[in-house]
Amino acid sequence: MKSRTIKKAVFPVGGLGTRFLPATKAIPKEMLPVVDKPLIQYAVEEAVAAGVDMLVFITGRNKTAITDHFDKAYELEHQLELKQKDAVLEVVRNIVPSHVDCIYIRQSEALGLGHAVLCAKKAIGDEPFAVLLADDLIDGKKAPCLAQMADQFNLTGESVIAVEQVSHEMTDQYGIVEVGDEGAQTSAIKSIIEKPSPDLAPSNLGVVGRYILTPEIFTLLEKTGRGSGGEIQLTDAISDLLQQQTVNAFQFEGVRYDCGSRAGFLKANIEYAAKDDELRQLIVSYASSLVEA
Ligand code: UTP
């Protein structure tokens, strides 16, 4: 058994977020909050819980909100101290633990997810790493999704890609994998295709926004041309990686909210509010009043 630990994680936050305009005109969609915490912070907390201590953000045109969020806010902290708002001061101070480093790399043009990951090449170097798409919010129930994946990765040192069953008519919104055993939690991927129409999809197993990849992916990304939607697709480079080494699909335990869509984002807000001690009663009674109206 190879023992490895994933220490670096890439957060591509350079997308245009067109489905959330106008909210995303001046801020990245990853800064949209679910209850009171931005999506990117949930993803960062998930990575840190899995043992990551270097966060590599691939930013786009509206990068300042994300860098500011993870930076120290002297003035705000000072004001909170003066007002003796100790609880909220703790929250603001502990957004990133002190042992964790943040690196920001600018993706000069939104050429696609594959291109965003390639921008992290120098920061990652020659080691396996995680990629987290913050607009997929995952409630891992027993353990955070990335920690589940890291446990699987540590068994073999092979790449791990999170997948889940998606409805057949929605295969054209996902990367879809063909695996040896669809019923198994972990199964080697035989093929992967970006956004196939339902009649061409090899299965209903859709890729969600969590990956653990070996560094060989970078050489392949350098050669990857524009694919689906005219973008440089990570899926296409993974398809090439499959020709060289085993890549495993992993069906994680937990619930994923597609916060890149309005419906998924609203669902996440309602469900996370219903889990909050202060908001739970309000949500339940308000929801029933809506039904009665
Ligand atoms: P999406 O396909 O959701 O695109 O990107 P998008 O631009 O963010 O959103 P819509 O579809 O226009 O509403 C998937 C992930 O890849 C990142 C996005 O930030 C998101 O996390 N991404 C995409 C980049 O970082 N750079 C890109 O060039 C494209």
Side-chain angles (χ1 to χ4, degrees):
M1 193 210 295
K2 291 183 190 175
S3 171
R4 290 187 179 172
T5 315
I6 302 298
K7 302 305 267 180
K8 297 180 181 175
V10 178
F11 299 86
V13 291
L16 297 177
T18 53
R19 284 171 291 168
F20 266 104
L21 284 167
T24 49
K25 184 163 177 263
I27 56 160
K29 72 175 163 187
E30 291 78 5
M31 282 304 294
L32 298 176
V34 167
V35 185
D36 51 9
K37 209 189 275 186
L39 285 167
I40 188 68
Q41 193 180 331
Y42 287 97
V44 161
E45 287 174 1
E46 184 182 328
V48 171
V52 166
D53 61 12
M54 185 190 277
L55 315 174
V56 183
F57 298 93
I58 310 299
T59 65
R61 54 201 174 97
N62 297 316
K63 68 170 181 176
T64 47
I66 288 183
T67 44
D68 287 350
H69 185 71
F70 291 106
D71 204 0
K72 195 166 172 61
Y74 291 100
E75 222 180 284
L76 175 63
E77 288 184 21
H78 181 61
Q79 291 298 328
L80 294 173
E81 257 167 15
L82 288 181
K83 292 183 196 291
Q84 296 182 328
K85 300 208 164 188
D86 297 339
V88 78
L89 179 62
E90 265 317 283
V91 170
V92 167
R93 278 193 175 142
N94 292 317
I95 284 183
V96 188
S98 55
H99 71 282
V100 173
D101 293 319
C102 297
I103 293 180
Y104 299 90
I105 296 170
R106 181 82 176 217
Q107 183 187 18
S108 46
E109 265 182 284
L111 296 180
L113 177 58
H115 178 255
V117 172
L118 181 57
C119 292
K121 183 181 175 192
K122 277 193 191 149
I124 299 296
D126 192 25
E127 59 183 280
F129 64 100
V131 178
L132 294 95
L133 305 187
D135 49 354
D136 271 336
L137 174 61
I138 301 182
D139 180 354
K141 305 289 177 191
K142 284 190 205 143
C145 179
L146 192 69
Q148 296 175 36
M149 294 169 70
D151 286 347
Q152 170 57 40
F153 173 81
N154 289 339
L155 295 176
T156 62
E158 294 160 354
S159 297
V160 184
I161 296 179
V163 298
E164 72 174 9
Q165 291 284 350
V166 298
S167 62
H168 187 59
E169 43 311 338
M170 289 176 75
T171 57
D172 59 359
Q173 294 180 29
Y174 292 88
I176 299 289
V177 297
E178 177 191 8
V179 294
D181 180 0
E182 267 190 54
Q185 182 170 47
T186 306
S187 188
I189 299 176
K190 291 181 172 172
S191 68
I192 183 167
I193 173 170
E194 183 65 18
K195 300 192 171 80
S197 58
D199 53 318
L200 294 178
S203 78
N204 293 341
L205 279 180
V207 174
V208 305
R210 299 291 182 278
Y211 309 75
I212 292 178
L213 296 167
T214 53
E216 288 77 21
I217 196 76
F218 291 121
T219 318
L220 299 167
L221 277 169
E222 278 166 341
K223 293 183 216 144
T224 305
R226 291 180 188 240
S228 169
E231 296 193 336
I232 298 174
Q233 296 289 352
L234 182 59
T235 303
D236 293 341
I238 293 172
S239 178
D240 293 339
L241 189 64
L242 287 178
Q243 313 306 318
Q244 301 178 1
Q245 48 183 253
T246 304
V247 178
N248 292 304
F250 179 77
Q251 298 189 53
F252 58 94
E253 285 179 42
V255 180
R256 176 191 67 111
Y257 301 91
D258 174 9
C259 292
S261 75
R262 297 194 313 168
F265 178 71
L266 284 175
K267 201 171 155 197
N269 266 290
I270 292 166
E271 296 211 9
Y272 275 63
K275 286 195 290 184
D276 182 290
D277 290 342
E278 268 178 45
L279 298 175
R280 182 175 170 73
Q281 197 44 50
L282 171 85
I283 285 289
V284 172
S285 49
Y286 186 61
S288 50
S289 77
L290 282 181
V291 172
E292 282 158 19

